[in-house]
Amino acid sequence: MSLSDCKYGSNTHTDYTHSLHSLPMVDDYGKRPIRRLLDVSEHLDIKWSLTNFRSISKVKVVSFLMGLTLTFLIMASYILTWDRKGLLLTPSPSQLRPVVVLTSTAEAPSGNNLIDMLLLARMISSKLEYTPRKVPDEKDVVGTDSHLFSVIPRHFLPGIKSPCWYEEFSSERSTDLYRRNLFTQRSKTFKTVCDHMRTNFQQHLYHRGSKVFRLRCLPYFYIIGQPKCGTTDLFHRLLLHPEVKFNTMKEPHWWTRKRFGYIRFKDGFQESFPVEDYLDLFDLAAQNIQEGISGNSSGDHRALITGEASASTMWDNQAWSYLHTDREETEPPFLAQDFIHTVQPGAKIIIMLRDPVERLYSDYLYFKMANKSAEDFHQKVVDSVHLFQSCLSDRSLHSCVYDTSLSNSMPVRLHLGMYIIFLLDWLTVFDREQIIVLRLEDYAANLEVTIKKVFDFLRVGPLSEQGEAALTKRPLSNTRRTADRNLGPMLPATKDFLREFHKPFNQKLASVLDNKAFLWSNS
């Protein structure tokens, strides 16, 4: 998620292992013309009798000899230049993109180590023109989690910018308030915040008649992805705005994982985090908003907004495959956006993207802990593309992208860079005006302009001079580790290979967003 990843990831690495084949290549290309010429010469049945030879005009004899001489010269040129630069008539590399060698050794590639990239790109392009997903009926969404939709009302308080409501509060809960919250067991920071809120909780309650209420709020905005695209840095800079405050956790991963009982899928089912625990994450903001409503604050806090930035929200719907092992379908029946839209149809959605080629390398460096190298990354990319191609030959593109078994099998998270698939699914439930899509490259090149776009999108006021200075001077968040920087960029061969693979996805994305910058052709 770092800005420095853009800087380091764009360098050209020229001193890489010489045993890797340059890409793209064609196995034994050019041998066939020679064999054809030899076959022709072998089957020429020259049965010239003396009588026939005399009957041929001198012109025909001369023409025949000249043709034979020319054929000999062409064959000689092929043979003499073979070892130095290949066949004279060999097309340029840009014309020979179909076949890419996927071996990391100097051995001759076998048929299993080749991928026809031109054919694969055409297959992806054709399958990108699919019918949008059918959005499930709202009653079916509600039926999957009746408790969730009983806690969150269908309408929020007027006059407050954030989606908030009053929830009747029982004094019996005040004794163990926050103690059982599962987020406090995994975050010392949030536990400290809860200890602070518990001490002055009573003064933030709202009394009406004999009943007592507490203000509850949902996030006003969601930064939903993608991983290693600068979401952490963006989130912390947004919190420097006086109207965007009081967030206690950046990535709760509640909509995609914890509400289903999963923290890390490899650890299996653990314990479901109830919606009440999720809402507690925004209690600090709710208390400050309540102060504005009650007139107990110097400013009008009713304009305060809060948000969260779980980088899994855009793409991760794997929980369904673990919950419904008996289902034959590879696609999840419901997506995270179905639930967010049902409880909060007016939510603001922020998406930060990055050149998918560089994103994948940054993802590899960040999440792989040992034995990292550009060569290892290359082979893992190769294996992942092989697996994806195998899936795509039998099934739909949409099905392969959401297939949990496939994603778990791929050595690198190749599918996360297929941004357009996820974006189109979000656009089936949210209006285009509710979603802003940014590029990390623009964010890194001109921070002030990009941040202003986000502030305008969130409808918050301009920053003061002091606020702007603090925002621009803030150190970068989640930068690439020194050891990872020392590994250098990916191999040029890997980059070229990934560019060809992602090209159809990027072209569709640029078309949908009407912005050629999302082609990443100049990265």
Side-chain angles (χ1 to χ4, degrees):
M1 306 177 192
S2 69
L3 299 181
S4 63
D5 285 346
C6 270
K7 174 182 177 183
Y8 293 102
S10 61
N11 294 338
T12 301
H13 185 58
T14 57
D15 186 21
Y16 63 98
T17 306
H18 69 276
S19 62
L20 284 174
H21 295 276
S22 298
L23 303 182
M25 290 177 60
V26 175
D27 185 32
D28 293 335
Y29 186 92
K31 294 183 181 178
R32 294 173 185 171
I34 294 177
R35 286 198 293 269
R36 293 193 189 99
L37 291 170
L38 291 175
D39 290 341
V40 170
S41 65
E42 289 174 359
H43 290 86
L44 282 175
D45 187 15
I46 310 174
K47 299 179 180 180
W48 300 101
S49 66
L50 183 58
T51 303
N52 292 334
F53 182 77
R54 290 173 179 173
S55 65
I56 300 175
S57 67
K58 291 183 179 180
V59 175
K60 290 183 179 180
V61 172
V62 171
S63 298
F64 171 78
L65 292 176
M66 288 181 64
L68 191 62
T69 302
L70 182 60
T71 301
F72 173 79
L73 291 174
I74 292 175
M75 291 175 61
S77 69
Y78 275 123
I79 296 170
L80 290 174
T81 59
W82 180 278
D83 291 332
R84 286 184 294 137
K85 59 181 180 180
L87 302 182
L88 290 178
L89 301 180
T90 300
S92 65
S94 63
Q95 295 173 304
L96 286 180
R97 291 182 297 178
V99 181
V100 177
V101 175
L102 300 179
T103 177
S104 59
T105 68
E107 299 175 358
S110 65
N112 293 331
N113 283 332
L114 299 176
I115 286 183
D116 189 334
M117 280 303 298
L118 185 59
L119 179 62
L120 179 55
R122 286 175 178 171
M123 185 189 305
I124 292 171
S125 296
S126 65
K127 295 199 172 190
L128 270 169
E129 302 304 322
Y130 60 84
T131 304
R133 67 182 282 260
K134 183 181 183 301
V135 179
D137 292 337
E138 185 174 294
K139 62 180 180 60
D140 295 328
V141 177
V142 174
T144 63
D145 193 341
S146 57
H147 177 68
L148 165 64
F149 295 98
S150 68
V151 171
I152 301 176
R154 303 314 302 268
H155 301 284
F156 304 120
L157 291 174
I160 300 176
K161 189 173 180 180
S162 293
C164 300
W165 67 96
Y166 281 116
E167 174 186 279
E168 189 171 355
F169 182 74
S170 173
S171 58
E172 297 176 357
R173 288 197 57 197
S174 60
T175 56
D176 62 352
L177 191 67
Y178 303 122
R179 183 173 63 86
R180 296 180 180 177
N181 187 296
L182 295 177
F183 284 104
T184 64
Q185 300 175 18
R186 291 166 175 82
S187 171
K188 291 182 179 179
T189 301
F190 183 56
K191 184 179 183 303
T192 301
V193 171
C194 288
D195 292 341
H196 166 73
M197 290 192 297
R198 186 185 292 110
T199 58
N200 58 3
F201 183 81
Q202 294 292 331
Q203 69 187 55
H204 292 103
L205 294 175
Y206 170 64
H207 297 267
R208 187 171 62 191
S210 60
K211 295 183 177 181
V212 180
F213 299 87
R214 65 188 294 191
L215 191 67
R216 286 292 215 178
C217 298
L218 281 168
Y220 179 77
F221 65 89
Y222 297 84
I223 303 177
I224 64 173
Q226 287 287 59
K228 307 311 299 172
C229 290
T231 58
T232 298
D233 195 81
L234 173 63
F235 179 77
H236 288 299
R237 289 186 199 276
L238 289 181
L239 294 183
L240 296 176
H241 195 288
E243 296 175 32
V244 188
K245 278 190 172 183
F246 311 114
N247 282 81
T248 55
M249 183 177 295
K250 181 210 172 225
E251 294 188 276
H253 296 291
W254 187 80
W255 290 103
T256 56
R257 300 172 187 173
K258 291 188 174 71
R259 75 186 186 99
F260 299 109
Y262 293 92
I263 298 174
R264 285 180 294 271
F265 289 111
K266 65 179 181 179
D267 297 333
F269 180 86
Q270 295 188 345
E271 188 174 6
S272 298
F273 285 48
V275 63
E276 290 85 357
D277 287 11
Y278 178 66
L279 295 175
D280 286 348
L281 298 177
F282 311 102
D283 268 8
L284 189 60
Q287 289 185 2
N288 281 271
I289 293 172
Q290 181 59 44
E291 288 182 1
I293 296 173
S294 304
N296 297 329
S297 62
S298 56
D300 186 3
H301 285 187
R302 287 176 294 184
L304 286 177
I305 61 173
T306 187
E308 63 128 294
S310 300
S312 65
T313 308
M314 182 175 182
W315 60 272
D316 191 354
N317 291 276
Q318 297 183 78
W320 292 101
S321 63
Y322 293 97
L323 293 172
H324 303 282
T325 56
D326 57 328
R327 295 177 65 99
E328 295 182 359
E329 297 89 342
T330 55
E331 298 183 44
F334 304 96
L335 301 179
Q337 55 264 39
D338 297 330
F339 295 92
I340 296 176
H341 183 266
T342 301
V343 301
Q344 192 179 350
K348 296 280 189 177
I349 307 299
I350 301 173
I351 300 173
M352 180 89 95
L353 303 178
R354 172 189 193 176
D355 181 348
V357 176
E358 297 296 343
R359 192 220 71 80
L360 187 61
Y361 188 50
S362 181
D363 194 85
Y364 163 82
L365 293 176
Y366 186 80
F367 289 103
K368 182 174 172 57
M369 293 295 105
N371 302 320
K372 290 178 282 192
S373 69
E375 293 78 11
D376 178 68
F377 176 67
H378 177 86
Q379 193 57 50
K380 283 178 166 51
V381 166
V382 163
D383 295 340
S384 298
V385 172
H386 251 303
L387 289 168
F388 189 77
Q389 183 187 36
S390 297
C391 177
L392 207 58
S393 63
D394 297 325
R395 290 163 35 202
S396 71
L397 178 59
H398 198 263
S399 171
C400 291
V401 170
Y402 281 104
D403 189 338
T404 298
S405 297
L406 176 62
S407 65
N408 289 341
S409 300
M410 289 195 292
V412 290
R413 301 197 293 180
L414 183 72
H415 61 298
L416 267 63
M418 304 174 197
Y419 306 138
I420 184 61
I421 307 297
F422 306 114
L423 176 61
L424 288 175
D425 283 345
W426 278 81
L427 289 172
T428 61
V429 291
F430 284 99
D431 293 335
R432 179 66 184 89
E433 293 73 22
Q434 292 177 253
I435 301 176
I436 184 172
V437 184
L438 309 169
R439 294 194 330 143
L440 176 61
E441 293 82 2
D442 299 330
Y443 181 79
N446 201 328
L447 176 65
E448 293 85 351
V449 171
T450 308
I451 283 286
K452 185 179 185 305
K453 287 182 180 179
V454 180
F455 287 155
D456 291 343
F457 175 71
L458 297 177
R459 296 183 299 170
V460 296
L463 284 172
S464 63
E465 291 185 6
Q466 295 85 350
E468 288 184 356
L471 188 144
T472 54
K473 291 180 180 179
R474 189 187 188 282
L476 302 179
S477 297
N478 215 9
T479 57
R480 185 172 289 184
R481 295 175 287 243
T482 302
D484 292 339
R485 290 201 300 268
N486 292 338
L487 291 175
M490 73 184 83
L491 302 178
T494 318
K495 179 176 289 188
D496 292 342
F497 178 42
L498 282 171
R499 289 223 180 284
E500 291 299 315
F501 176 82
H502 282 291
K503 184 180 293 184
F505 297 103
N506 294 344
Q507 289 173 337
K508 181 72 172 180
L509 178 67
S511 175
V512 170
L513 296 177
D514 193 23
N515 187 343
K516 292 183 179 180
F518 288 95
L519 292 171
W520 283 287
S521 54
N522 296 323
S523 298

